[in-house]
Amino acid sequence: MKTIFEMGAPGRHAVMPAPLDVPAASLPDAVKRDTPLALPELSELDVVRHFTQLSRRNFGVDSHYYPLGSCTMKYNPKIMEAIGALPGFTRLHPFTAMTDAYRKICQGALEVVCEMERLLAEVSGMTAACLQPMAGAHGELTGALLIAAYHKAQNGVLRDTLLIPDSAHGTNPASAVMAGFKTVTIPSNAQGVVDFDAYAALMGEHVAGVMLTCPNTHGLFEPRVADMALLAHENGALMYYDGANLNAIVGRCRPGDLGFDVMHFNLHKTFATPHGMGGPGSGAIAVGERLVPFLPNPRVVKDGGTYTLQDSAQSIGRIAPFFGNFLVALRAYAYLRAVGAEGLKTVSENAVLNANYVLARLRDVWRPAYDGLCMHECVLSAATFASKHGIRALDVAKALLDRGFHAPTVYFPLTVKEGLMIEPTETESRETLDAFCDAMLDIARLAETDADVLHQAPRTMPVGRLNEAQAAKNLDCACTG
Ligand SMILES: *Cc1c(COP(=O)(O)O)cnc(C)c1O
């Protein structure tokens, strides 16, 4: 396919400016270019076709099944998009909220912030929430800074360590280190959950907190999560909940009730706002009573009948401009209001049911990393196929593309060899899940009979197998093989 710069013809154009009805005026020579801008000259139709065709090379939730584990690629109802695009919100300048004289014209937007924070606190069993963090990882950083601020205010022993399980997402230790902590890894046991004795042995006066994902990234609920919180609190440490997997429990069990002190939500995962491939997302956080004074400034509060801003002297300060990605939070707010408390229960119920359906259909062929039922995602392994037939998780991922499915997450969590992490989400039908499982079984059959075909996948995509290291470093190269 040609790039847009290789298309078009001199003099062709897509705009139809009205005839000039004022005297022509020339720019001063000093600001004029010496050479014309090297822009392509194209008709409107050329441009529309070019970008439409480019968009059709994408895999997205609107076009394909997208079982990317840990990412909760659920379908986003289009009505939330329409609400997020309402001009009353999109045309509002955030400085109106910051300026006393203008705050009266953005009361509706401030109500959304305040109400969304209230709903998130309710859903999580926490005391208060803050929409500022722009992504899950940013929420982790904010939470870790809150934990640091809390301990500093206690004037007690120096607590410089966060405990993080080996199954955690890589952002957890990265955020902890950015907040100034050392990290120590808690090992998983043979069942794929935290090894409690090892955890207890690591706990001590130097521990500021524990970062836990629950259900964890093996798709398993941590059975001793309440005991873990108890032990942490007895030792003066706080509990951080990585909310990326909230889809599995939302509406049914609340991190605050399990003993967590602070958490982030990935609004772009659990609450149906689009994933932006790096932005815009939202990693709103919620905290229990003890951490409220340290929340980022300013907080939106209702004073009489009016929404206004309030600063706390103990706050960690701002973590993002204004109120974070406000329009993302607005979509998620609309989703929460539309789905309601009962609807959230159905979300987690169907998310877990769908994952177990896939697990049940595939487990005899693609062996699960751990036995038993899973929560909202299942982690299978291609290790047997890798050793017997040379077919690795990457080959499975590429072969799925040829069959019209986005790949699951592969090689994560790091604890699983040749991992294939499948998260169907609650929005997929049984027919779609069956078609996906049929494709997985077809790939398994081919691995045994004609493995080489799988090494050549994908054969129907615009690009074939890339040299992944080169493709990331050298964007212009062909980078195959
Ligand atoms: C997605 C994810 C994160 C990070 O969230 P981002 O919004 O991508 O920054 C953290 N932990 C887990 C388990 C995740 O799946």
Side-chain angles (χ1 to χ4, degrees):
M1 192 171 160
K2 285 182 175 170
T3 69
I4 201 159
F5 289 93
E6 297 164 310
M7 297 164 57
R12 196 169 289 168
H13 48 74
V15 284
M16 289 175 283
L20 206 60
D21 59 358
V22 293
S26 194
L27 286 173
D29 284 342
V31 301
K32 279 189 184 162
R33 299 178 56 94
D34 297 329
T35 49
L37 259 185
L39 290 177
E41 298 184 67
L42 299 143
S43 72
E44 183 172 323
L45 182 58
D46 292 336
V47 175
V48 169
R49 287 211 177 125
H50 178 74
F51 285 108
T52 305
Q53 262 151 33
L54 275 184
S55 77
R56 288 169 68 175
R57 295 175 157 213
N58 269 339
F59 264 78
V61 173
D62 287 352
S63 59
H64 295 89
Y65 176 49
Y66 213 118
L68 200 65
S70 214
C71 297
T72 312
M73 302 297 289
K74 64 169 81 171
Y75 175 72
N76 303 310
K78 292 290 173 264
I79 181 74
M80 309 319 164
E81 289 300 302
I83 290 166
L86 286 175
F89 291 116
T90 58
R91 293 199 184 149
L92 207 51
H93 197 288
F95 269 125
T96 51
M98 301 298 150
T99 318
D100 291 339
Y102 295 129
R103 200 165 298 121
K104 59 178 177 296
I105 65 170
C106 63
Q107 287 292 304
L110 292 177
E111 181 176 351
V112 168
V113 173
C114 201
E115 276 296 290
M116 182 58 171
E117 290 180 349
R118 187 183 64 76
L119 285 185
L120 291 179
E122 190 178 324
V123 165
S124 58
M126 298 280 182
T127 310
C130 168
L131 300 184
Q132 275 187 37
M134 304 271 210
H138 198 196
E140 294 166 18
L141 173 66
T142 312
L145 290 171
L146 290 174
I147 291 173
Y150 169 82
H151 287 302
K152 199 164 166 219
Q154 307 312 305
N155 283 326
V157 287
L158 175 69
R159 293 177 181 268
D160 62 358
T161 302
L162 292 183
L163 302 183
I164 305 175
D166 55 5
S167 60
H169 195 280
T171 50
N172 287 190
S175 303
V177 168
M178 280 184 74
F181 288 108
K182 289 182 208 154
T183 65
V184 173
T185 305
I186 315 166
S188 300
N189 62 20
Q191 286 76 46
V193 295
V194 162
D195 179 333
F196 190 83
D197 292 338
Y199 165 71
L202 294 171
M203 183 51 72
E205 278 214 320
H206 60 297
V207 177
V210 183
M211 288 182 100
L212 196 68
T213 312
C214 185
N216 64 24
T217 64
H218 297 137
L220 305 173
F221 196 87
E222 288 288 350
R224 300 200 64 181
V225 58
D227 296 334
M228 287 181 72
L230 208 61
L231 187 67
H233 289 153
E234 276 170 13
N235 282 274
L238 298 184
M239 292 292 289
Y240 184 94
Y241 181 84
D242 177 331
N245 290 345
L246 194 66
N247 215 48
I249 61 165
V250 68
R252 291 173 177 275
C253 113
R254 307 191 304 171
D257 300 335
L258 292 173
F260 288 93
D261 302 285
V262 45
M263 68 171 287
H264 77 260
F265 301 81
N266 301 67
L267 298 188
H268 45 288
K269 295 181 181 173
T270 315
F271 297 129
T273 63
H275 287 49
M277 303 312 281
S282 174
I285 55 161
V287 297
E289 200 67 52
R290 288 194 274 193
L291 292 179
V292 173
F294 307 100
L295 279 173
N297 278 337
R299 300 197 52 212
V300 179
V301 293
K302 196 170 183 181
D303 184 7
T306 311
Y307 290 95
T308 183
L309 305 186
Q310 201 175 64
D311 281 346
S312 154
Q314 282 182 293
S315 166
I316 59 166
R318 280 195 164 282
I319 198 80
F322 305 110
F323 306 97
N325 280 324
F326 170 70
L327 295 174
V328 173
L330 172 63
R331 287 172 172 87
Y333 175 66
Y335 175 81
L336 270 174
R337 291 291 302 270
V339 172
E342 281 306 307
L344 285 182
K345 283 189 187 159
T346 320
V347 164
S348 45
E349 182 170 287
N350 287 337
V352 173
L353 182 64
N354 279 357
N356 279 287
Y357 182 75
V358 171
L359 177 62
R361 275 211 59 194
L362 297 181
R363 72 179 323 149
D364 289 342
V365 176
W366 298 101
R367 303 296 304 161
Y370 299 99
D371 287 335
L373 292 173
C374 64
M375 293 293 286
H376 65 307
E377 59 197 351
C378 59
V379 185
L380 308 179
S381 167
T384 319
F385 286 86
S387 57
K388 271 213 241 153
H389 310 289
I391 293 302
R392 307 187 54 211
L394 189 72
D395 299 306
V396 178
K398 303 295 182 193
L400 279 169
L401 292 174
D402 279 339
R403 288 160 178 77
F405 300 103
H406 192 279
T409 296
V410 291
Y411 302 110
F412 178 76
L414 303 178
T415 37
V416 177
K417 261 197 202 155
E418 298 295 329
L420 295 156
M421 185 191 213
I422 302 168
E423 180 179 8
T425 81
E426 73 280 10
T427 55
E428 297 297 338
S429 67
R430 175 161 176 191
E431 289 79 2
T432 303
L433 300 184
D434 275 333
F436 171 76
C437 292
D438 291 345
M440 286 291 290
L441 297 174
D442 181 49
I443 292 167
R445 189 184 49 76
L446 267 181
E448 283 163 4
T449 55
D450 195 1
D452 208 41
V453 173
L454 295 177
H455 290 305
Q456 289 158 29
R459 300 206 280 188
T460 60
M461 295 289 111
V463 286
R465 212 55 87 98
L466 300 179
N467 176 328
E468 300 200 338
Q470 281 303 314
K473 288 181 182 157
N474 186 359
L475 299 180
D476 281 340
C477 78
C479 299
T480 46

